[in-house]
Structures are given as structure tokens and as C-alpha cells.
């Protein structure tokens, strides 16, 4: 099992924290509002509330904040993230849903990696799973797939084991530059939501054919 620190107090933070606890992982909640962090930790049962800006207790630090503030959060924590695995769940989609708010040929995860300490390892994950789908988990015997990308093989193996502890199925897509492709999948899901599916009660995954 893993020790997890989750930076953020929103829906994805709650969903990940709940599944992490169910999977036997230790969970620390971190947020700029200490009262809300304590309230969320208490509501989850079994989680602890840390102090924003101080060194996260977890080996895996989940960055569960909107992309608009993600790099600033990483800079604020600074050296406290040394040696940590940083899981980026963000989707840096432009407000008009026609592209991204990161430079061409880059990704949100790559920009976060630039802001992180040199010995931290950024892994993209969970950005293609809606928070309520993640909280509900696999349904009707179908696995719930989580795509990951990162440059460090050991960090990806650790994140994959964490994902499996949640009852989910990890798929390694390659190096961190593949985060751009995963963020495009996030944009694709928003297109499906707006133009055909008309809701967010769905997930994209892999079907292996014989």
C-alpha cells in the first residue's frame, strides 16, 4: 500500500481520497483552507489533514487542483516536493474548449515538471476519469481504466501499483510527452459530453480482443 498526500479540496480530491482509503492506503489532505482540509479529512474517516505548504507526508503527492493554479502550487511547495512522485490529474483546457492554455508541443504535466524540483517525478494520471465515475469505481463487471505517462519507470510502477490498489486498471502510455495525448483525451471527453453523450456518466478504456 502507498502513502498518499492529496493537494486540493474539490471533487477529484474527495473521490481519490475515498478510493485510496478503501484500498488500504494512508491519506493526507492538504489545502489552503485548513478548516476545509480538516472537514474533508474528518468526513472521509481515516484521513489526516496536513499543513499547506509544509512537506507532504506521502510518497505520492496528487496535485488535485485546477490547472490554472497548479504550477504555482508546485512552486509554493518547492523543495518540500524533493524526491516525491507528483501525480498530475489536471486538464489544461482553454475556456472555449478549442485547445489548451499551455505552449504548443507541451502539456500541463510537462509545465508542472518544469516547476517541480529536479529530483521529483511527475506522472500524468486520472485526467481521463470524471470524479464521480472514479468515486463509483468499476461497474457491471467492466474495469475502469486509468492511463498514465511519465519519464521515470520506477515512479510509474509505483503509481500503477497505487491505481491497482483502488481496484482500477493502469495503462502505461509512455514518456511524459504522452501527457499531451492524454490531455487531448480529456478534451475529447468534454466534446462527447457536449455533443453526443450529453452527460458525464461514462468512461473511455481499453477492450482487449482475442
Amino acid at each position: 500500500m502507498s502513502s498518499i498526500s492529496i493537494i486540493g479540496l474539490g471533487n477529484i480530491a474527495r473521490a481519490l481520497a475515498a478510493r485510496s482509503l478503501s484500498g488500504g492506503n494512508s491519506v493526507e489532505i492538504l489545502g489552503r483552507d485548513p478548516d476545509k482540509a480538516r472537514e474533508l479529512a474528518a468526513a472521509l474517516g481515516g484521513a489526516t489533514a496536513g499543513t499547506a505548504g509544509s512537506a507532504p507526508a506521502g510518497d505520492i503527492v496528487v496535485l488535485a487542483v485546477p490547472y490554472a493554479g497548479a504550477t504555482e502550487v508546485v512552486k509554493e511547495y518547492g523543495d518540500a516536493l524533493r524526491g516525491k512522485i507528483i501525480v498530475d490529474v489536471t486538464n489544461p483546457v482553454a475556456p472555449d474548449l478549442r485547445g489548451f492554455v499551455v505552449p504548443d508541443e507541451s502539456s500541463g504535466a510537462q509545465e508542472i515538471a518544469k516547476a517541480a524540483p529536479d529530483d521529483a517525478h511527475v506522472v500524468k494520471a486520472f485526467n481521463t476519469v470524471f470524479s464521480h465515475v472514479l468515486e463509483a469505481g468499476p461497474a457491471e463487471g467492466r474495469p475502469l481504466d486509468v492511463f498514465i505517462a511519465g519519464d521515470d519507470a520506477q515512479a510509474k510502477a509505483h503509481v500503477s501499483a497505487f491505481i491497482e490498489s483502488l481496484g482500477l486498471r493502469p495503462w502505461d502510455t509512455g514518456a511524459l510527452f504522452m501527457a499531451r495525448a492524454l490531455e487531448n483525451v480529456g478534451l475529447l471527453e468534454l466534446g462527447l459530453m457536449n455533443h453526443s453523450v450529453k452527460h458525464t456518466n461514462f468512461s473511455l478504456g481499453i477492450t482487449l480482443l482475442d
Side-chain angles (χ1 to χ4, degrees):
M1 300 299 102
S2 301
S3 58
I4 311 298
S5 292
I6 299 176
I7 302 175
L9 303 173
N11 291 336
I12 190 69
R14 178 183 290 272
L16 271 172
R19 291 207 68 82
S20 297
L21 289 167
S22 295
N25 302 284
S26 65
V27 175
E28 176 188 47
I29 303 294
L30 297 161
R32 286 187 172 137
D33 188 324
D35 291 334
K36 288 184 178 179
R38 286 191 292 269
E39 288 172 7
L40 178 55
L44 290 164
T48 62
T51 303
S54 63
D59 297 323
I60 295 177
V61 179
V62 179
L63 194 60
V65 297
Y67 178 74
T71 55
E72 288 307 312
V73 168
V74 170
K75 290 175 182 177
E76 286 172 13
Y77 277 85
D79 287 345
L81 296 175
R82 285 199 172 279
K84 302 289 187 180
I85 298 171
I86 302 171
V87 174
D88 166 36
V89 307
T90 68
N91 277 311
V93 176
D96 63 3
L97 306 185
R98 295 177 64 87
F100 300 95
V101 295
V102 293
D104 292 341
E105 307 303 323
S106 187
S107 66
Q110 288 168 292
E111 295 303 304
I112 287 167
K114 292 175 187 177
D118 292 341
D119 60 351
H121 303 293
V122 174
V123 176
K124 190 77 179 185
F126 297 106
N127 74 297
T128 61
V129 185
F130 293 109
S131 60
H132 69 283
V133 175
L134 176 62
E135 191 165 12
E140 299 178 5
R142 292 190 300 270
L144 186 59
D145 291 331
V146 178
F147 301 107
I148 70 172
D151 290 334
D152 186 85
Q154 195 169 21
K156 287 194 290 185
H158 197 163
V159 172
S160 292
F162 166 57
I163 291 168
E164 288 174 344
S165 80
L166 310 184
L168 312 179
R169 189 169 63 167
W171 291 98
D172 185 351
T173 67
L176 194 62
F177 77 87
M178 286 297 292
R180 180 71 173 192
L182 296 185
E183 290 164 6
N184 269 288
V185 174
L187 183 58
L188 170 65
E189 289 178 327
L190 293 176
L192 290 168
M193 177 190 73
N194 287 325
H195 298 286
S196 56
V197 181
K198 301 296 185 180
H199 58 73
T200 59
N201 191 29
F202 69 92
S203 66
L204 301 184
I206 298 293
T207 299
L208 296 176
L209 305 177
D210 294 334

